[in-house]
Amino acid sequence: AVFYRELPKVELHAHLNGSVSAQTIEKLISRKPHLNIEHSMTAIGKGQRRTLDECFEVFRVIHKLVDTEEDILMVATDVIKEFAADGVKYLELRSTPREERDTGLTKRSYIETVIKAIQKCKEEGVDIDVRFLVAIDRRNGTEVALETVNLAEEFMLSSDGLVVGIDLSGDPTVGHGKDLLPALQKAKNSGLKLSLHLSEIPSQLDESDLLLSLPPDRIGHGTFLHPEVGGSQSLVDKVVQKKIPIELCLTSNVKGNTVPCYAKHHFKYWYELGHPTVLCTDDKGVFCTDLSQEYQLAASTFGLSHEAVWKLSQQAIDSIFGPETVKQQLKEKWNDLHPQLF
Ligand code: 5GP
């Protein structure tokens, strides 16, 4: 277990409000005792499984606990420090800007506060490079998606390179990608990178085909893309030809019941193809995991040697949305750390 913690890691798929640890949830609960929220309502423990629907209910509970600038600052700061303590050297956080009438929170101040947390950690010398992806919740439709992209474009220019892209997430059973395509295209044209949740559930083949035409810069999950699970060879061919890296979250998919067991996770399919795959946590708080545990799980499930695990974490650097200079710095860091682990 020490190897996996000390392994330098890149985390590219982490939803802010899904990443809140038990300790931070306790602090939030004590700030808002009147909500009568218990910790069991915000996390899915070992051996437990839920439907995706139930997972989205958990996010609604957490959103009640996180509804002021002060909350967001604490949550983001804690989450960044926890990833750093787990050996993550580069982190892309994603979060959906929310407005809350009761507390005066606006989408703009939401993004500003996440940026403030990133800057605060940097000033404190936390050993991690953090970037931000502004998330579009697919449930909210065309207008909100455009509004979100406009905000993200603005922050891309004013945040000193901290805002680097757009995430498309939210309940995959609601809405259709075709309504979001213009906003995503606009984002791409302006230089924002795109990470899109694709084929997280079966029956999204048309949507995935459409969104792949953008093409996105990375894919979240892609659970049902390949033909063995009802996807199609032509979807796989597109992903392979365009070399679009896939973010894979083992525990999240098993606990959220879209994958029957670890051994049947689609990591195997894409890894054996030699396609760029990046292990990620998704929601480390909700699914009670961390990135070292995800690497360890992949290794024990699929029989990866320490060398193979090292290569996996090193190759993740090529899939980051940060600039080329950061890639180079990370590669040097990995080279410096290699002798300590082997
Ligand atoms: P937030 O954006 O509020 O920081 O993080 C929680 C949100 O992330 C959820 O409301 C949901 O929109 C998105 N999210 C978190 N985990 C998942 C997931 O596994 N699948 C999808 N499609 N969306 C997710």
Side-chain angles (χ1 to χ4, degrees), residues 306-336:
H306 280 189
E307 273 298 344
V309 169
W310 174 272
K311 238 173 129 182
L312 200 56
S313 95
Q314 191 177 40
Q315 281 174 351
I317 298 170
D318 291 319
S319 302
I320 70 168
F321 288 168
E324 204 53 42
T325 48
V326 173
K327 278 187 194 172
Q328 287 316 319
Q329 286 162 11
L330 291 172
K331 284 178 182 172
E332 280 167 29
K333 191 169 257 182
W334 259 244
N335 284 340
D336 292 346

Side-chain angles (χ1 to χ4, degrees), residues 211-231:
L211 293 177
L212 280 173
S213 67
L214 279 159
D217 299 282
R218 290 199 311 255
I219 292 169
H221 303 300
T223 314
F224 294 93
L225 284 172
H226 61 290
E228 289 169 22
V229 287

Side-chain angles (χ1 to χ4, degrees), residues 52-53 56 60 137-139 169-175 200-201:
L52 260 195
D53 237 19
F56 285 105
R60 278 190 281 276
D137 186 330
R138 50 182 292 139
R139 282 171 288 203
S169 55
D171 189 341
T173 63
V174 182
E200 199 177 353
I201 52 170

Side-chain angles (χ1 to χ4, degrees), residues 15-18 56 59 63 94-96 110 137 139 169-170 172 197 200 221 252 282-283:
H15 299 272
L16 178 59
N17 285 296
F56 285 105
F59 297 125
H63 284 161
R94 53 185 76 191
S95 193
T96 326
Y110 189 107
D137 186 330
R139 282 171 288 203
S169 55
H197 284 59
E200 199 177 353
H221 303 300
S252 163
D282 206 7
D283 300 288

Side-chain angles (χ1 to χ4, degrees), residues 2 16 91 100 116 123 139 151 172 194 217 227 246 252 281 285 318 325 327:
V2 175
L16 178 59
L91 162 67
E100 298 285 350
K116 201 165 142 191
E123 279 158 22
R139 282 171 288 203
L151 265 176
L194 299 180
D217 299 282
I246 309 191
S252 163
T281 53
D318 291 319
T325 48
K327 278 187 194 172

Side-chain angles (χ1 to χ4, degrees), residues 197-299:
H197 284 59
L198 279 196
S199 284
E200 199 177 353
I201 52 170
S203 78
Q204 287 186 304
L205 298 191
D206 288 349
E207 179 184 286
S208 294
D209 194 51
L210 184 72
L211 293 177
L212 280 173
S213 67
L214 279 159
D217 299 282
R218 290 199 311 255
I219 292 169
H221 303 300
T223 314
F224 294 93
L225 284 172
H226 61 290
E228 289 169 22
V229 287
S232 79
Q233 191 58 44
S234 96
L235 288 175
V236 171
D237 289 345
K238 279 187 188 171
V239 174
V240 170
Q241 270 157 23
K242 294 175 181 167
K243 286 210 178 71
I244 311 173
I246 309 191
E247 305 150 358
L248 297 171
C249 313
L250 276 70
T251 300
S252 163
N253 295 157
V254 169
K255 285 192 173 176
N257 247 323
T258 52
V259 165
C261 61
Y262 286 103
K264 295 214 168 114
H265 195 277
H266 49 296
F267 170 84
K268 187 175 158 68
Y269 180 90
W270 293 99
Y271 186 75
E272 283 175 0
L273 269 186
H275 189 77
T277 54
V278 184
L279 292 175
C280 301
T281 53
D282 206 7
D283 300 288
K284 73 174 180 62
V286 170
F287 298 117
C288 305
T289 188
D290 57 33
L291 194 54
S292 13
Q293 195 175 317
E294 296 301 302
Y295 271 88
Q296 189 164 8
L297 265 169

